[in-house]
Amino acid sequence: MDHPLPTRVYVVSDSVGETGESVVRAAAMQFHPVPVEIVRAPFIHDIEGIDKVINAIRIHGGIVVFTLVIPELRDDLIAKAKEHGIPHIDLLGPVVNTLGQALRQEPRRQPGMIHPLDEDYFKKVEAVEFAVKYDDGRDFSGIQKADIILLGVSRTSKTPLSMYLAHKRFKVANVPLVPEMQPPAAIYTVAKDKIIGLRIDPDKLNVIRQERLRTLGLAENATYANVERIKIELAFADKIMSKIGCVIFDVSNRAVEETASLVMDHIERVQ
């Protein structure tokens, strides 16, 4: 069976590019599981930066989506994209122009206004750094400091879920559950209300792991993607989660955003 190469989408912004990336990710979910690779090009403040993006697309192919509020940069990108036949989408321009007409006012054309460097912004940065530091059992000391602890076997979306929740200002540690290794004792001593177990259908996990092996160029029949091995891992994970008595969410057919919403609702209820 042939597997399509990922479509590459370059998100160009004169700020951090988070708005553009969020829109692209939301749109890409409508085509799941067709792969979409997002390349963020933030803080583009000059024509040289535009040229680098255009050259990258000419070499590797792709689409450009942009949130440029500086007219000169936006116009330059549009002109060069048209010149080279590159599909391009202006996310902010039409909205800003229409609002300007309705309000009878000129926009400020100032990048980064949606992300002011206030206390809330720095909390978000801190949460992201926390998620990276305590990702996938790198350092179990984060369990005691975390707002949320995610438990699950490999490929249950622990890392992307951690990062999504971090952008919502939650400090998240995630712990991989592997039968050959007992989980850290700390998960039995922290409040169970902040521990989230992630469950998944074994057949679904088998497909995900096979795709992961293909991506890495490895044989699809490796033990990692063996159905019987997967069932052993899931049984072990269920045993640990039952012992803790934590809430469990099934991620089999849920997007990361959906699971995150369930997690945040749970945390809000128990706080």
Side-chain angles (χ1 to χ4, degrees):
M1 179 180 178
D2 292 332
H3 295 274
L5 293 173
T7 295
R8 185 171 291 180
V9 180
Y10 290 79
V11 177
V12 179
S13 174
D14 38 28
S15 185
V16 295
E18 185 177 292
T19 300
E21 182 173 350
S22 296
V23 172
V24 173
R25 288 196 182 280
M29 287 306 301
Q30 299 300 317
F31 304 94
H32 182 78
V34 177
V36 175
E37 179 185 355
I38 299 175
V39 180
R40 196 191 293 193
F43 304 112
I44 300 295
H45 293 149
D46 51 35
I47 300 300
E48 183 181 355
I50 299 292
D51 289 339
K52 286 181 180 179
V53 173
I54 293 295
N55 287 334
I57 300 175
R58 291 179 65 193
I59 294 170
H60 303 291
I63 299 167
V64 62
V65 173
F66 55 97
T67 55
L68 297 169
V69 298
I70 301 174
E72 293 78 11
L73 295 181
R74 183 192 65 220
D75 293 346
D76 185 72
L77 176 54
I78 292 172
K80 288 171 180 171
K82 287 181 178 179
E83 178 185 351
H84 298 289
I86 298 171
H88 54 284
I89 303 169
D90 182 359
L91 289 180
L92 282 185
V95 179
V96 170
N97 292 338
T98 301
L99 275 175
Q101 292 171 8
L103 297 172
R104 297 181 181 177
Q105 185 174 331
E106 279 295 311
R108 294 166 67 174
R109 309 289 183 188
Q110 182 178 335
M113 295 185 69
I114 197 171
H115 297 293
L117 298 181
D118 55 13
E119 182 181 357
D120 188 60
Y121 176 83
F122 287 110
K123 281 183 178 179
K124 176 178 173 180
V125 171
E126 185 180 1
V128 170
E129 290 175 347
F130 187 96
V132 172
K133 183 175 181 179
Y134 300 110
D135 177 49
D136 206 31
R138 290 179 185 173
D139 184 347
F140 290 135
S141 67
I143 291 173
Q144 301 288 353
K145 309 169 191 174
D147 301 317
I148 299 171
I149 300 141
L150 303 178
L151 303 179
V153 302
S154 175
R155 311 312 292 178
T156 48
S157 300
K158 296 188 301 298
T159 296
L161 184 56
S162 295
M163 295 306 298
Y164 186 96
L165 291 167
H167 279 79
K168 301 296 182 181
R169 287 70 172 169
F170 290 100
K171 293 181 178 179
V172 185
N174 76 70
V175 178
L177 296 179
V178 184
E180 291 76 18
M181 182 178 68
Q182 286 300 312
I187 66 171
Y188 300 111
T189 61
V190 298
K192 69 177 183 180
D193 286 339
K194 68 177 183 177
I195 299 178
I196 307 293
L198 302 177
R199 180 180 286 150
I200 189 169
D201 176 79
D203 293 330
K204 178 75 172 180
L205 183 56
N206 176 249
V207 172
I208 293 172
R209 288 190 175 182
Q210 285 183 342
E211 185 62 40
R212 177 60 174 165
L213 290 173
R214 277 193 290 268
T215 301
L216 295 174
L218 301 175
E220 295 176 28
N221 60 353
T223 303
Y224 179 69
N226 178 274
V227 174
E228 293 307 314
R229 166 65 187 187
I230 286 172
K231 289 179 179 177
I232 291 171
E233 289 186 36
L234 293 176
F236 174 77
D238 279 344
K239 182 179 178 181
I240 297 297
M241 295 172 194
S242 296
K243 183 177 180 180
I244 295 169
C246 62
V247 66
I248 300 173
F249 294 123
D250 193 314
V251 301
S252 301
N253 296 300
R254 286 197 172 101
V256 169
E257 295 85 351
E258 292 179 85
T259 307
S261 179
L262 292 173
V263 171
M264 290 186 289
D265 286 345
H266 166 75
I267 295 299
E268 185 176 336
R269 283 197 304 271
V270 299
Q271 282 182 340

